[in-house]
């Protein structure tokens, strides 16, 4: 039986996945981290929990928080980030512009790539860097 909670793939198999595919997975990884962060830190309860989650996973906030990541990325991670940012995204949310949406897609692709490599410690380190300030919500 495949363990999808701890899925890992060889690098060649990960390279075969499109940037959009990596971003699709990374979106879920990022949202799970945000939800965990909010619950653990008691940032929100009830209805406001959903609003706080949406505020942190929206493209503009992801793009803003990505600025904290860029200086921390390895060369290989920068390549994945660039690949995600350059993905051919056909649909852009109405609440943002193309550049912001592409940057958010890059963050998600990076998180998806790291997840498939099984590098949860690195995901956690980068997520913690993004959430470093006292009041990110």
């Amino acid at each position: 039986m495949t363990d999808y909670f701890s899925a890992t793939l060889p690098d060649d198999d990960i390279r075969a996945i499109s940037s959009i595919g990596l971003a699709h997975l990374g979106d879920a990884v990022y949202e799970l981290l945000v939800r965990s962060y909010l619950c653990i830190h008691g940032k929100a309860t009830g209805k406001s929990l959903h609003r706080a989650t949406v505020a942190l996973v929206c493209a503009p906030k992801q793009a803003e928080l990505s600025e904290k990541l860029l200086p921390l990325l390895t060369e290989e991670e920068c390549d994945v980030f660039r690949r995600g940012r350059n993905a051919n995204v056909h649909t852009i949310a109405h609440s943002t512009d193309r550049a912001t949406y592409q940057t958010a897609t890059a963050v998600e692709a990076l998180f998806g790539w790291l997840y498939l490599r099984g590098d949860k410690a690195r995901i956690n380190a980068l997520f913690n860097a993004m959430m470093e300030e006292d009041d990110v919500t």
Side-chain angles (χ1 to χ4, degrees), residues 30-44 49 52 56 127-128 130-137:
Y30 182 78
E31 184 164 343
L32 179 60
L33 290 166
V34 166
R35 287 173 179 240
S36 298
Y37 173 85
L38 291 171
C39 287
I40 289 168
H41 291 281
K43 295 283 186 181
L49 185 57
L56 285 171
F127 182 77
N128 275 306
M130 292 173 79
M131 298 296 148
E132 219 165 50
E133 289 192 16
D134 292 276
D135 189 18
V136 296
T137 54

Side-chain angles (χ1 to χ4, degrees), residues 30 34 52-68 95-96 100-101 103-104 107 130-131 133 135-137:
Y30 182 78
V34 166
T53 300
V54 170
L56 285 171
V57 300
C58 69
K61 190 65 171 181
Q62 282 182 339
E64 174 192 328
L65 294 174
S66 75
E67 295 299 319
K68 298 177 183 181
S95 62
T96 191
T100 300
Y101 195 79
T103 301
V107 171
M130 292 173 79
M131 298 296 148
E133 289 192 16
D135 189 18
V136 296
T137 54

